[in-house]
Amino acid sequence: MSTPDPGRVPDPGRAADPAHTPELAAKAAHLRVAVIGGGVAGLVAAESIAAIGAHATVFEAQERAGGAVRSGEADGLVFDAGAESFAVRGGHVRALLSDLGLDHRVVSPEPGGAWVAGIPGGAAPLPQGGLLGIPANPFAEDVRRVIGWNGTWRAWLDRLLPPLTIGHDHSLGRLVRRRMGARVLDRLVAPVSTGVYSAHPDDIDVDVAAPTLNAALTRAGSLSGAVAEITGGSGRAPGAAVQGLEGGMAGMIDALIARIELLGSEVRTGAPVEELSRDADGWTVRIADPEPQAAAAPGTEPETIERGAEDAADAPVRFDAVIVAADEATARRLLAPHVPELAAVAAGSSPRIEIVTLVLDAPELDAAPRGSGVLTVPGSHIAKALTHSSAKWAWLRERAGSRQVVRVSFGSAGEAPATGALDDEAAGRLALAEASALLGVALRPAQLRGSHRARFVQAQPSAVLGAAERRTAAAAAIAAVPGVAATGAWLSGTGLAQVVPHAKAEAERIRHALLWD
Ligand SMILES: Cc1cc2nc3c(=O)[nH]c(=O)nc-3n(C[C@H](O)[C@H](O)[C@H](O)COP(=O)(O)OP(=O)(O)OC[C@H]3O[C@@H](n4cnc5c(N)ncnc54)[C@H](O)[C@@H]3O)c2cc1C
């Protein structure tokens, strides 16, 4: 991977514009902010703090920062083991990449859409022109191929049913089932919703996942008409476009760390924060070693050595503010003593996901038999989805040479990953068997050159029913307490396009309070 270019270093006084004064710059230079969690949210927040000349210290529990944006390696090949792309909508991630000097590495996926597996006949291309899997035209050949004639006639009834004029459906599953029937729901919408949100459509809030759909339904008089109106015959739902980074999205993490360090701030890895304390002089951070220092005697508890964040003279470092950017469970634990109102806000469910990436000698995959990958009808396969990464990303294909890279994902909301109890070798074997089934190609263990396994706890997607209200209530409770901010996917919604602007906004809130209040 090429050395990250920290890009154009921003003007340290920019946050104070237009009333930037030398006094404010001097004030900023004395400010210290602790950022707990070195995923994208924490790093973006830290960079925003460092950009005004204040000092940010990122505490990251793992040995590498990045969180869900991390690289993996198998058979000498480096690839994205977690997030592999970003949604173009909003322009926030693209702007960040530009700011970090990474414009030249932004790439689009290869043409060739995804397939859906678990239908009679095995698999078929996911129809073009839909929205969340809802077809604009149930008679289109690619739609009929998935839902059959019975499903098509039932879906067509949508055109005859009166639109709801009083109130509307919040549940995507209910809306689709009522208007277009079970086949559209089970074979088209559920695979997309499980693949995108790790959740069943019954649990997805239409107004969050497709904010204009209910209004368009009232205007157009049918659900398929509403989808046609929204997609405008473009064959692509607005906001659905994604891009990636040559060399992998983890390049953004390297560049963020380089920028933070260039600005004189720091990222401390292997530093799991145990507790945040506050007194009249500010905040202190207590860290516990992630690993016992010495091998524990059999039958004894491993010793956990606690240490504070200390300066050179071993005095505890005082921070003027903290930004908590860890996962929801950790954030709630750390914030509980300082934001007691948070306890009244229900916690979101956080699905566990595992991704097994396979590097294969498989010339039979050269023709990309399933396009960029496969979504599954829930219950039809053990795996939830498959990405044919070396077919989707040209940069990876080039680096892989004659090899193929395929990633298989397991687990979704309410369903633990099937790989959970397996050792790495067995998880690799299961992923290979699932890849064979999903790609429609018999892959033998001898073709497997290497595999990589990564485990994640995903924040509750923002489109899950009730999530938006919970997030708003949690954010309000946190904002009411001076000197503390919180960000990350559990508050912004999952996805880099949401995480990045939220982290910037929270950092800006803290910057403003420290400089002006
Ligand atoms: C498998 C997977 C694939 C994804 N693919 C995409 C994609 O292609 N495109 C897209 O836009 N989004 C994708 N997402 C979503 C996106 O990656 C996440 O929403 C985003 O990266 C979350 O960033 P975050 O900083 O909020 O959380 P995280 O990345 O989870 O970071 C939180 C960090 O806090 C650290 N931490 C936890 N506890 C402590 C503690 N006590 N002390 C210090 N540090 C602590 C953790 O180690 C971690 O590094 C994907 C997510 C997953 C899980």
Side-chain angles (χ1 to χ4, degrees):
M1 202 173 293
S2 56
T3 313
D5 171 5
R8 184 172 43 81
V9 178
D11 168 10
R14 72 180 178 184
D17 283 343
H20 169 229
T21 64
E23 294 77 45
L24 278 177
K27 189 174 178 186
H30 286 98
L31 294 172
R32 297 191 74 118
V33 177
V35 180
I36 319 303
V40 171
L43 295 174
V44 166
E47 196 271 342
S48 294
I49 295 295
I52 59 162
H55 189 275
T57 305
V58 178
F59 296 92
E60 166 52 46
Q62 302 298 318
E63 292 305 323
R64 275 165 67 189
V69 183
R70 65 177 90 148
S71 56
E73 199 221 294
D75 196 36
L77 195 62
V78 175
F79 40 76
D80 280 318
E84 49 141 27
S85 63
F86 60 92
V88 172
R89 73 170 177 277
H92 302 287
V93 183
R94 184 56 199 260
L96 172 67
L97 294 170
S98 288
D99 195 37
L100 292 170
L102 294 174
D103 268 334
H104 62 291
R105 285 174 55 183
V106 173
V107 289
S108 293
E110 296 292 285
W115 284 49
V116 58
I119 58 173
L126 196 66
Q128 298 287 305
L131 177 68
L132 298 168
I134 307 167
N137 174 10
F139 287 98
E141 202 184 326
D142 56 358
V143 176
R144 263 195 294 119
R145 189 170 163 192
V146 176
I147 61 173
W149 274 112
N150 284 348
T152 297
W153 287 116
R154 171 61 189 88
W156 180 73
L157 282 183
D158 163 54
R159 297 269 171 177
L160 308 179
L161 288 170
L164 276 187
T165 47
I166 304 169
H168 58 246
D169 265 322
H170 289 288
S171 159
L172 175 66
R174 253 178 58 92
L175 175 68
V176 174
R177 190 183 289 110
R178 192 169 54 78
R179 296 213 60 99
M180 298 186 109
R183 289 232 177 136
V184 169
L185 178 68
D186 296 341
R187 296 188 192 173
L188 290 170
V189 179
V192 171
S193 128
T194 310
V196 174
Y197 300 112
S198 303
H200 190 274
D202 283 349
D203 299 324
I204 296 296
D205 188 334
V206 184
D207 290 336
V208 179
T212 53
L213 189 62
N214 265 309
L217 168 58
T218 311
R219 271 197 308 277
S222 69
L223 189 53
S224 53
V227 170
E229 182 190 307
I230 291 169
T231 59
S234 66
R236 165 161 274 172
V242 298
Q243 290 187 310
L245 214 50
E246 190 224 316
M249 287 305 295
M252 179 173 75
I253 300 299
D254 298 338
L256 272 167
I257 295 171
R259 168 64 67 75
I260 289 165
E261 290 175 349
L262 189 73
L263 291 168
S265 287
E266 60 182 329
V267 178
R268 290 180 57 178
T269 53
V273 173
E274 278 281 293
E275 190 182 1
L276 297 173
S277 309
R278 185 179 209 177
D279 61 21
D281 295 327
W283 295 86
T284 49
V285 170
R286 190 163 65 82
I287 304 162
D289 278 345
E291 299 293 339
Q293 293 295 287
T300 62
E301 282 290 302
E303 185 190 4
T304 299
I305 297 180
E306 292 172 359
R307 62 185 200 272
E310 289 157 352
D311 63 18
D314 276 2
V317 175
R318 300 277 168 185
F319 295 96
D320 300 286
V322 293
I323 300 177
V324 178
D327 57 278
E328 177 166 9
T330 307
R332 281 176 172 272
R333 183 168 54 75
L334 295 175
L335 289 168
H338 312 289
V339 190
E341 289 73 16
L342 211 46
V345 182
S349 59
S350 304
R352 285 198 302 125
I353 312 274
E354 289 202 13
I355 293 189
V356 181
T357 304
L358 309 172
V359 179
L360 298 155
D361 267 330
E364 53 272 57
L365 297 183
D366 284 352
R370 296 289 184 260
S372 61
V374 187
L375 300 170
T376 62
V377 171
S380 67
H381 292 79
I382 299 172
K384 293 297 151 214
L386 173 147
T387 306
H388 189 169
S389 305
S390 49
K392 185 171 180 181
W393 302 107
W395 67 265
L396 187 57
R397 186 167 56 243
E398 267 166 41
R399 293 183 190 192
S402 60
R403 298 167 295 178
Q404 296 286 341
V405 184
V406 164
R407 55 188 238 164
V408 187
S409 48
F410 297 91
S412 66
E415 190 183 325
T419 38
L422 304 178
D423 62 27
D424 287 355
E425 210 185 311
R429 278 200 303 274
L430 177 60
L432 187 69
E434 286 297 289
S436 294
L438 292 172
L439 291 163
V441 169
L443 297 165
R444 289 168 288 106
Q447 292 176 275
L448 184 61
R449 293 181 62 139
S451 69
H452 176 275
R453 177 190 193 177
R455 299 177 176 84
F456 304 89
V457 176
Q458 200 171 37
Q460 183 174 54
S462 47
V464 166
L465 280 164
E469 291 80 2
R470 276 195 295 275
R471 285 203 333 256
T472 305
I478 294 161
V481 180
V484 61
T487 185
W490 72 281
L491 288 164
S492 65
T494 50
L496 301 174
Q498 283 158 283
V499 169
V500 167
H502 188 276
K504 276 186 182 285
E506 273 300 270
E508 169 57 20
R509 194 168 68 73
I510 284 290
R511 292 192 320 195
H512 191 277
L514 290 174
L515 287 175
W516 297 92
D517 291 351

